[in-house]
Structures are given as C-alpha cells and as structure tokens.
Amino acid sequence: MKNKFFILFLVFLVVFFSSDLYAQRKEKSSTKAFFLSIILPGLGERYVQSKGIRDYLLISEIIMWSGYIGFKTYSNWLKEDYINFAVNHAKINKNGKSAQYYVDIGNFNNIYDYNHIKRIQRDFNVLYPVDSDYFWEWDSRENRKKFEKLRIRCDTYKNRKIFFISGAILNRLISGIEAVYLLRKREKSLNKTHISVEYTKSKIAFKLNYLF
C-alpha cells in the first residue's frame, strides 16, 4: 500500500516537473525575439525570459532619447534666436525662407553685394529679387559675424542629434542579437534536461538527468 502511494507521489512529481519543463520548452521565435528588441531594447530578452544586459540596454535607450530631445530642443532655440537677430539687425522678412537663404545673409553684408558677386560668377540662377521678401542689409559687420556664429552653432547641435539616433539604432541591434543568442542558449540548456521514473519489483527510481 505504501509503495502505491509512493508511486503515485513519484508520478505526480514527474507530471509536475515535466509540465514545467514543457512550458519552458514551448517554442519561442527567434525572429519575434529580435523584432521585439527592435521595438524596445530589452523587450526581446524579456520575451525569452532571460535578463542578460536588459537593464543596461534600457538605460542606454533613455540616455539616447534624452540626448536627442535635448539637442533638438536646444538647436531649435538657437535657430529662433538667430532668425530674430537677423530680423532686428538685417531687416529680413523671415517668412518662408530656406536654410540656404540664412547661409547667404551670413556671408554677405547686403543683398546688393550678394547679387553682384553672383553676377560676376555668372551664377544667375541663385540671384535674389531685390524686394521686401528677400531684402537684407546688416547694420554692422560685427552683427553679421555674430549671426553667422549663432547659425553655425545651431547647425552643429542639429547635426549632433544624429549621433543619438545612431546610438539608438545600434542599441536595438545589440539587444536583438543578444535576445536571439539567449534564446538559443536557453533552448540548448532545456534540451539537455530529462525526467523519468523507473519502476521494477526491486526498485523505484525518480531521475532528473542533465546532459553535459
């Protein structure tokens, strides 16, 4: 009678551990793990139930996006500053102007000097009409140089934000590769585990085998 209860107990243990191992062995997609990491670094590691460097990837993600937003915001402030500076000191009309227009007004004291040089260079396609929309004339050479420094500084910060976008992309690729690696490592480990019950008249054995 005792042996029957013991056998039932062993069967219960086998079923319990086997179901747990089956749940762990339940097939997970490496493609899904990779693309989850592309969506959000660390999400793929969570999907494969392995921590890895998930926390560091999430911290890196926060740093990258914080840097991007910070640099973008600051470059927008600088752009607003240099445009308003040109309105006050070069009498420009800021509506509908291209980036090249601001480059040009930073290099020439007025529209007449600009058009004169372009005519000499026979570059007639880039001449500005002398009217209220495109007219400019700096009140001093120093203010033109100050404007140009502000514009260049703005472009510098604008370009630096690309570094953070590149970092965010790299962060996702690292997370995706790690998630796939951890999934394969986990599956390899689970496949080495085997549970069995051996029963004969002389012995009852409950075995949990791990293959190295």
Side-chain angles (χ1 to χ4, degrees), residues 1 33 52-53 55-56 78 90 92 114 116 119 127 141 152 154 165 167 184 194:
M1 189 71 176
I53 56 173
D55 293 342
Y56 298 103
L78 289 174
I92 72 163
Y114 170 85
H116 177 66
R119 286 192 182 98
L127 294 176
R141 184 184 181 88
I152 292 173
C154 172
I165 292 295
R184 290 176 178 174
H194 176 68

Side-chain angles (χ1 to χ4, degrees), residues 52-70:
I53 56 173
R54 182 178 67 198
D55 293 342
Y56 298 103
L57 292 168
L58 286 173
I59 292 171
S60 297
E61 185 72 3
I62 293 170
I63 292 172
M64 291 301 168
W65 283 109
S66 297
Y68 172 80
I69 293 170

Side-chain angles (χ1 to χ4, degrees), residues 167-184:
I169 293 172
L170 180 61
N171 203 35
R172 282 162 166 73
L173 291 175
I174 292 173
S175 178
I177 292 169
E178 192 206 27
V180 172
Y181 166 76
L182 290 173
L183 176 60
R184 290 176 178 174

